[in-house]
Amino acid sequence: MSSWKEWIFTTDHKRVGILYLIGSMAAFGVAGLMAILMRIELSSIGPTITADPSNYNVWLYFHGAAMILGFQIPALTGFFANYVIPLMIGAKDVAFPRLNALSVWLFYAGIVLALLTFVIPDPPDVMWTAYPPYSTITRGNTAFYTFTVLTLGFASILGGVNFLTTVAYMRAPGVTWNKLNIFVWCTLAAFVLQLIFVPVLGTAVTLITFDKYLGTHFFDPLQGGDVLIYQNLFWFYSHPAVYVIFLPFIGVVYEIVATFSKNPVFNYKMVVYGGVFGIVAISGVVWVHHLYVSGMADWIRIGQMVTTLMISIPVGLMVIGLVGTLYKGAIDFRAPMLWALGVVFLFLIGGLTGIPLAIPSLTLHLSDTYYVVGHFHYVMAVAGTFAIFGGVYYFFPKMTGRMYHEGTARWGFWLTFIGVNIVFWTMMSIGVDGMPRRYYDYAHFPQFLRAHQLMTLGASLIGVGFALAVINWIHGAWKGEKAPDNPWGSRSLEWTTTTPPPPGNWAEVPKVAEDWNPYAYGQRR
């Protein structure tokens, strides 16, 4: 057994990755608890478990911020990137191991700061968006929010520098650019977006703090400021952040689908150069559709409608690649594949329901309703979480040297899949009928009571399903059957080392044959 000191002072990319997984799952657990509290509160009209609307705001703030900044981005660009990328490219470690260790402990510092929300006397209540003027006049501690965001932002920037350098200079002989796993390409693109756009978010939240505590007026219209400046800065980062999550999670899905279909990735170069590169090129010019109702010239709305619809082209190329990879495959419906197929279904629903939100004439009516909440959860929150859980199941044997319990994994998937569709399809339905988002109570909309009670039931199924998955991992890591080195029969390089991989991953840097490919599963029929 390893000592606690070895874990605290480790620079091994695999241990750093596992630390990211533990921290992100802790954030996921608390954020999930906040979601349950909100759903219980909304299960009846009038106060249910709190009579203070500020408590609801705190739950809402923590749920959004922890799910995105504490769970999804760290799990995808922290855990999966750290554990898998060096193995996929045949490297012994990352380029800057100490910098890597610093990034994970900055992440943990951010998690601790976020958890202190529940102990400080004036917790942030600004949602994850922190819009002014509310964030500059609330009694909540906006500076605490800003410091948490900056800490997590620095962690992601360090990761970006590290992995771009690692993939550029530490690939094993024979692992050329056109032989990289789709996950590697997707994660590199996500890090590029992080390096470009995280400083913008850092600037925005810092200026909020200056306005509130130092007497500046960047966002105060009475003093020549403009609240829309903040919204533009925030969404200039936060819409690309959708793709910071989407790209790695679709990369994980590609690894699972190719392996369990025993098919090469369909049209690899189209996926990489059309899909991944296309998303990077367009993602920075689509943020204004979040501001359609904030007041702007019609010609700006029309231009942003065009760019928002355009980004569906590279995203569509990536989905076509997944469907093509499944075509005529020898599909094995093990737990990782179920979660991956769940991602395809959920993302398809989310993508199709996003088209109306790109069109100003429709968004003006749907904005700030539950329709937006349901769409957002389908397209990113739930689809991304399904990809993370499927990826953990996929790499579980490699990490632990043991197998999970297949039956429990299937039960967890189906309970979660049914639950999320109950919750978020119902959300979109009542959103079309006019149910506003972010409301602590809905006494003016009593017709939606049954729908809220149904969503609370669905949230309970989700909680049970995710709990089964986590229990399955813990039990499997301690008591599961011993796993072979390559239980899935993958051709990718990470499965060629022992399970779990030793320090340094290989005794010698692997050299791959000229015809090697991570998806070399034979010719299509």
Side-chain angles (χ1 to χ4, degrees):
M1 292 291 290
S2 302
S3 69
W4 61 270
K5 288 184 179 180
E6 289 179 314
W7 281 90
I8 290 178
F9 296 106
T10 187
T11 57
D12 183 351
H13 72 94
K14 298 181 293 297
R15 289 188 173 183
V16 169
I18 292 172
L19 288 172
Y20 263 113
L21 177 63
I22 294 170
S24 62
M25 290 306 299
F28 174 75
V30 181
L33 176 62
M34 298 300 101
I36 293 293
L37 290 175
M38 287 188 288
R39 285 265 42 98
I40 294 174
E41 179 58 43
L42 293 168
S43 64
S44 65
I45 295 175
T48 307
I49 54 177
T50 181
D52 186 354
S54 295
N55 290 333
Y56 184 87
N57 278 350
V58 172
W59 301 339
L60 189 58
Y61 151 72
F62 197 93
H63 173 72
M67 276 292 190
I68 295 171
L69 300 177
F71 169 56
Q72 287 197 322
I73 292 178
L76 291 163
T77 62
F79 161 60
F80 285 111
N82 268 285
Y83 200 95
V84 174
I85 286 181
L87 293 171
M88 284 182 168
I89 66 173
K92 287 182 171 292
D93 210 315
V94 295
F96 308 114
R98 293 181 184 274
L99 199 67
N100 204 31
L102 175 60
S103 74
V104 76
W105 291 116
L106 280 175
F107 164 65
Y108 268 86
I111 292 296
V112 171
L113 284 172
L115 291 174
L116 288 176
T117 295
F118 302 108
V119 243
I120 61 175
D122 52 349
D125 60 349
V126 293
M127 238 292 262
W128 78 291
T129 52
Y131 280 175
Y134 182 77
S135 57
T136 59
I137 62 174
T138 176
R139 291 177 300 170
N141 195 330
T142 306
F144 199 82
Y145 162 83
T146 297
F147 192 56
T148 304
V149 170
L150 291 176
T151 303
L152 294 172
F154 276 117
S156 66
I157 288 173
L158 294 180
V161 171
N162 206 348
F163 281 97
L164 287 170
T165 308
T166 299
V167 177
Y169 293 103
M170 297 185 67
R171 302 188 312 278
V175 182
T176 61
W177 289 103
N178 283 329
K179 292 183 178 180
L180 290 180
N181 293 68
I182 296 294
F183 174 76
V184 177
W185 276 116
C186 289
T187 308
L188 286 183
F191 278 125
V192 168
L193 295 177
Q194 286 284 76
L195 291 175
I196 294 172
F197 294 107
V198 164
V200 179
L201 175 66
T203 300
V205 298
T206 301
L207 295 181
I208 280 283
T209 302
F210 286 175
D211 270 17
K212 182 171 182 178
Y213 299 101
L214 300 183
T216 58
H217 304 287
F218 293 105
F219 310 121
D220 183 359
L222 297 179
Q223 302 293 329
D226 190 343
V227 294
L228 289 183
I229 293 176
Y230 177 84
Q231 291 192 30
N232 276 279
L233 289 173
F234 180 86
W235 287 110
F236 189 63
Y237 161 77
S238 294
H239 195 82
V242 171
Y243 303 104
V244 171
I245 294 171
F246 167 74
L247 283 165
F249 89 58
I250 207 72
V252 170
V253 173
Y254 263 100
E255 302 305 320
I256 297 171
V257 167
T259 298
F260 285 92
S261 297
K262 292 295 180 286
N263 256 345
V265 168
F266 175 73
N267 212 339
Y268 174 95
K269 291 185 178 180
M270 173 196 73
V271 171
V272 172
Y273 300 111
V276 177
F277 282 33
I279 288 172
V280 172
I282 305 177
S283 63
V285 291
V286 297
W287 81 94
V288 175
H289 72 258
H290 292 278
L291 284 75
Y292 280 162
V293 297
S294 299
M296 64 181 66
D298 287 340
W299 68 269
I300 297 178
R301 288 196 184 104
I302 299 302
Q304 286 287 308
M305 177 186 73
V306 172
T307 57
T308 302
L309 292 173
M310 278 177 59
I311 205 164
S312 64
I313 297 173
V315 172
L317 291 176
M318 301 201 73
V319 174
I320 289 171
L322 280 175
V323 176
T325 305
L326 287 166
Y327 180 63
K328 289 189 176 180
I331 300 175
D332 183 2
F333 292 99
R334 302 286 290 273
M337 189 62 162
L338 289 177
W339 288 90
L341 294 176
V343 173
V344 175
F345 176 85
L346 296 169
F347 186 79
L348 181 62
I349 299 297
L352 292 174
T353 56
I355 294 173
L357 297 178
I359 301 171
S361 60
L362 295 176
T363 298
L364 293 175
H365 298 282
L366 295 172
S367 181
D368 287 326
T369 71
Y370 264 39
Y371 181 90
V372 177
V373 183
H375 154 75
F376 171 79
H377 279 80
Y378 262 114
V379 79
M380 190 181 85
V382 176
T385 301
F386 267 52
I388 291 168
F389 274 67
V392 172
Y393 272 118
Y394 180 63
F395 292 111
F396 186 85
K398 181 57 61 177
M399 286 190 295
T400 65
R402 296 183 180 274
M403 298 297 295
Y404 59 83
H405 186 267
E406 185 68 28
T408 306
R410 290 171 182 268
W411 271 104
F413 166 77
W414 284 113
L415 286 172
T416 308
F417 183 76
I418 293 168
V420 298
N421 282 287
I422 289 174
V423 173
F424 300 113
W425 190 266
T426 307
M427 271 191 184
M428 290 192 295
S429 177
I430 64 174
V432 171
D433 289 336
M435 176 65 203
R437 67 192 295 195
R438 297 177 181 152
Y439 273 39
Y440 157 74
D441 193 36
Y442 51 100
H444 291 88
F445 308 97
Q447 67 270 30
F448 298 132
L449 174 61
R450 295 296 184 193
H452 279 287
Q453 291 174 337
L454 178 62
M455 287 189 285
T456 302
L457 172 62
S460 302
L461 293 178
I462 296 171
V464 174
F466 281 138
L468 281 177
V470 175
I471 292 169
N472 197 6
W473 298 340
I474 296 172
H475 179 269
W478 287 97
K479 301 290 186 180
E481 295 180 5
K482 185 175 175 58
D485 290 341
N486 189 1
W488 314 130
S490 173
R491 303 295 176 86
S492 190
L493 207 54
E494 72 270 22
W495 298 100
T496 62
T497 185
T498 56
T499 297
N505 300 333
W506 289 273
E508 297 180 359
V509 174
K511 296 180 181 179
V512 301
E514 187 175 342
D515 60 348
W516 172 85
N517 188 287
Y519 309 113
Y521 294 108
Q523 298 298 317
R524 293 184 175 279
R525 294 188 295 275

